[in-house]
Amino acid sequence: MKRVLVADDASFMRQMIRDIIEPEGYEVVGEASDGVEVIDKYLDLRPDLVMMDIVMPKRSGIDAVKGIKKEDPSAVVVMCSALGQETLVMEAIQAGAKDFIVKPFKPDAVVSTLQKVLEKSD
Amino acid sequence: MDLAKYRALFLEEATEHLAEMSRALLALEKDSSSRDAIDEVFRMAHSIKGMAGSLGYDGLTELSHALEDRMERVRSAGRVEAGEGGLPPLFRGLEGLEAMVTHVRDTGEPPPAQPGLAAELAAGSDAPPGDPEPDPKKAPTP
């Protein structure tokens, strides 16, 4: 079972991600609500994948990607963005994120994106 | 989707976010270039937009998106502009969001759109990036 760390400052969105991916066989091993906590939890939990909002307090999602990739260049990070954030998404990809999903989430698209990036990283 | 569960989560978080947004706007009344307060309003609008979009509250999504975009421009300018075009539309945006959240709490139904408010925020006259208003405290360049 693949282990996932979910980072979003809204518990609403973290719960929604859980409800989408847990029935598909993913284990949410931790949650983080800001860009500092997600790096700490990544180092502690070493998940297979991080799903991370692009806008977060303390450190932005882009900064947090850089922080995680600095500690673990093989880390797999998928950004959660919204329509109209294409520039930020491109920055996140350049910082090392593997892919992105767009809010509001379409469950099938979320699951297929996770499958795709994990297959590539195996 | 368990709509009742997510509606309850939305009401709890959106109420907190709007209170934080109100505090940040009051901070901007005292210091129109407070980066922390500008970032806070931007993030709260972004977060409300994400939740509202997930629940299909289109009017709320539109207004929070307009406020988020407005705050992105404020971020680029580095400050909220002075005068009627600065803070008053932001406070009206906050009040509009509060009314919409109250509507959801009272009725359980999606709130009606407020296109006038969204348009007002979209039409803001904030200075574009790299072209801030002159600081009157600074001496003019000879």
Side-chain angles (χ1 to χ4, degrees):
Chain A
M1 183 178 282
K2 295 295 186 183
R3 302 166 68 252
V4 179
L5 172 61
V6 177
D8 196 304
D9 57 331
S11 62
F12 177 103
M13 302 308 304
R14 299 197 302 270
Q15 183 63 50
M16 183 161 277
I17 290 171
R18 265 187 190 275
D19 287 349
I20 290 171
I21 69 175
E22 285 186 335
E24 298 295 328
Y26 296 90
E27 180 188 6
V28 176
V29 292
E31 296 184 6
S33 58
D34 63 57
V36 172
E37 187 181 18
V38 67
I39 298 173
D40 291 343
K41 289 209 169 171
Y42 181 87
L43 296 175
D44 184 35
L45 299 167
R46 295 285 172 173
D48 298 299
L49 183 143
V50 183
M51 293 181 71
M52 179 145 61
D53 189 20
I54 213 158
V55 176
M56 288 195 297
K58 296 188 182 176
R59 289 182 74 168
S60 72
I62 293 166
D63 273 355
V65 173
K66 290 176 182 170
I68 288 172
K69 296 294 280 189
K70 184 179 173 188
E71 298 290 341
D72 179 4
S74 67
V76 179
V77 182
V78 171
M79 304 309 293
C80 303
S81 76
L83 289 175
Q85 294 185 314
E86 291 78 6
T87 305
L88 290 176
V89 167
M90 289 311 298
E91 280 184 47
I93 299 288
Q94 286 167 0
K98 296 287 186 193
D99 210 332
F100 66 97
I101 52 177
V102 179
K103 299 175 191 173
F105 297 134
K106 293 184 172 66
D108 290 349
V110 173
V111 173
S112 66
T113 300
L114 265 52
Q115 285 172 343
K116 184 177 67 178
V117 297
L118 286 169
E119 280 169 11
K120 281 184 182 173
S121 68
D122 282 343
Chain B
M1 180 195 284
D2 182 345
L3 195 59
K5 177 176 82 171
Y6 282 105
R7 189 190 298 128
L9 268 175
F10 164 76
L11 287 171
E12 183 182 337
E13 290 209 88
T15 302
E16 289 172 10
H17 286 355
L18 291 172
E20 288 174 33
M21 191 185 286
S22 177
R23 281 193 288 272
L25 288 176
L26 290 171
L28 285 169
E29 272 189 330
K30 294 176 182 162
D31 176 4
S32 64
S33 60
S34 167
R35 180 72 195 201
D36 286 347
I38 291 169
D39 284 349
E40 187 78 351
V41 179
F42 172 81
R43 282 193 300 100
M44 295 302 104
H46 170 82
S47 192
I48 291 170
K49 181 187 77 172
M51 292 188 284
S54 301
L55 287 166
Y57 297 162
D58 294 341
L60 194 38
T61 306
E62 179 190 36
L63 183 55
S64 50
H65 193 172
L67 182 55
E68 181 191 22
D69 282 351
R70 175 67 170 250
M71 293 311 297
E72 180 69 57
R73 299 203 300 280
V74 171
R75 267 176 148 181
S76 297
R79 63 202 258 296
V80 179
E81 70 172 279
E84 280 304 304
L87 272 173
L90 302 181
F91 275 108
R92 284 193 286 275
L94 168 66
E95 287 164 8
L97 291 175
E98 287 171 337
M100 288 176 159
V101 170
T102 299
H103 179 94
V104 174
R105 180 179 292 111
D106 290 349
T107 69
E109 297 295 322
Q114 298 203 26
L117 269 180
E120 182 187 18
L121 289 167
S125 54
D126 292 303
D131 185 24
E133 285 183 15
D135 186 341
K137 285 179 282 191
K138 285 184 183 168
T141 306

